Amino acid sequence: MPISRTQLPVITTPALPPLYAAWMDEMLTGPIPHETDATCDDCAMCSGEGAEAQDGETFFNPQTKCCSYVPELPNYLVGRILADSDPAFETGRATVLARLEAGVGVTPLGMEPPPIFVALYGRNSATLFGQSRTILCPHYLAVEGGRCGIWKHRNSVCATWYCKFVRGATGQNFWQTLNQLLTAVEQNLARWCVHELDPGGEALKLLFPLGGENAHAQVDPHALDGAPEPKRQRALWGNWAGREADYYKACARLVEPLAWPDVLARSGPTVGIYARLTSAAYRQLMSKELPFALKVGSFRSVHFNADTQVVISYNGYDPIELPKSLLEVLHYFDARPTRQALAAISAERGITINDSLVRKLVDFNILVPSER
Ligand code: SF4
Ligand code: SF4
């Protein structure tokens, strides 16, 4: 019994940027499968010409796709971008140079999103994400249907976010867990670079003020206006003031030779814990095992066709189309053993449901494991 997803062509993209791919090659027991349903070159979230969203369906603005977002870049990724001399990368590198030149959120820890983005997105991410050009990423290039200028060196969030997942909630769980890990790695390694390259005591006081995160809670009016105070910027950079690009490249050189055990050694126990969680999520992602017993999960129908229904379960961006004949037998999964439910469906309704279809229904939370 077939179930269908999008009808868009499948175009594969690299699973992770090279630095993070190398670390995950060491940490995980195998390669990470590509999320081929997220067809970024022909965005799966953008409508075709003239198409209108059906009930419950979301389309992204084709002028932003999922890049209505400004990423935080850790110092060593800024350095990798600045040091990348590939001529094909020149346009992307220029977007980071522009951020460096503007100076807003430019610190020895890396590049922070500007306060105007933080203020807008922090309170309105649900409505602005995928829609607003006002908060479009500065690294987004409006060429070839829209593409990322720093794809090769994108950060943890951009490397792990997808709108759709081949294995539904199982895939989403893996990528979200990996994001948690890589975000913690970025924070730890950025701090390690500051420690190693030492901007000086006064700069450290500004970078790590008493009160921690709360000390930065007030919006800096100069940064808000796009013109940070030169005196404060010099103090923030200390020994490296005037040599910011050199500093970022030095960070990249420090991180480049690190193997995964070196990363763990330079990070706190939290990264070790997140690494274990990511390995467990990866094992789930690669496992095809079926739960012993299943029951019907929570989902809503958003569109009705003659023989099918489009339903949304774990993720509003990832609807799935199911045959009505399949929906009509789901009640057989009532916490009895999975094999018994399948045998009963076959005997009483003459419908054979194979293991890969059951797995798909579990991945999309249409069926969920029963505790009993
Ligand atoms: S991940 Fe982003 S660019 Fe790729 S298909 Fe989804 S919304 Fe489009
Ligand atoms: S860095 Fe690239 S992937 Fe991330 S939001 Fe910007 S354009 Fe999109």
Side-chain angles (χ1 to χ4, degrees), residues 37-46 60 64-67 129 161-164:
D37 285 340
T39 53
C40 302
D41 292 340
D42 183 7
C43 179
M45 288 299 296
C46 297
F60 283 174
T64 66
K65 303 203 265 191
C66 55
C67 296
F129 182 67
W161 195 88
Y162 290 97
C163 52
K164 301 174 190 296

Side-chain angles (χ1 to χ4, degrees), residues 10 14 20 22 25 28 46 52 73 78 105 113 130 139 149 159 186 198 233 236 277 316 322 337 341 362:
V10 168
Y20 295 162
D25 275 353
L28 300 173
C46 297
E52 285 184 8
L73 300 176
V78 177
H139 310 298
E186 287 177 348
D198 189 17
Q233 280 303 99
L236 202 53
L277 293 174
L322 301 173
V362 173

Side-chain angles (χ1 to χ4, degrees), residues 214-294:
N214 293 336
H216 292 300
Q218 295 293 313
V219 174
D220 174 352
H222 303 282
L224 187 66
D225 290 344
E229 261 189 313
K231 189 175 167 198
R232 182 179 157 78
Q233 280 303 99
R234 280 197 301 278
L236 202 53
W237 280 90
N239 301 332
W240 288 90
R243 297 184 294 141
E244 291 83 358
D246 291 340
Y247 168 88
Y248 284 138
K249 289 179 194 170
C251 294
R253 285 195 298 276
L254 281 175
V255 171
E256 172 71 25
L258 299 182
W260 180 241
D262 304 323
V263 175
L264 287 174
R266 282 157 184 75
S267 306
T270 306
V271 165
I273 291 166
Y274 291 165
R276 281 179 60 185
L277 293 174
T278 304
S279 293
Y282 178 77
R283 283 194 295 278
Q284 276 182 330
L285 179 70
M286 302 314 290
S287 168
K288 299 286 164 59
E289 199 178 317
L290 296 182
F292 175 74
L294 290 164

Side-chain angles (χ1 to χ4, degrees), residues 167-190:
R167 290 211 47 193
T170 308
Q172 186 184 51
N173 178 61
F174 167 74
W175 287 104
Q176 288 181 344
T177 309
L178 180 57
N179 176 41
Q180 179 177 251
L181 169 64
L182 292 177
T183 299
V185 165
E186 287 177 348
Q187 190 177 60
N188 279 277
L189 288 186

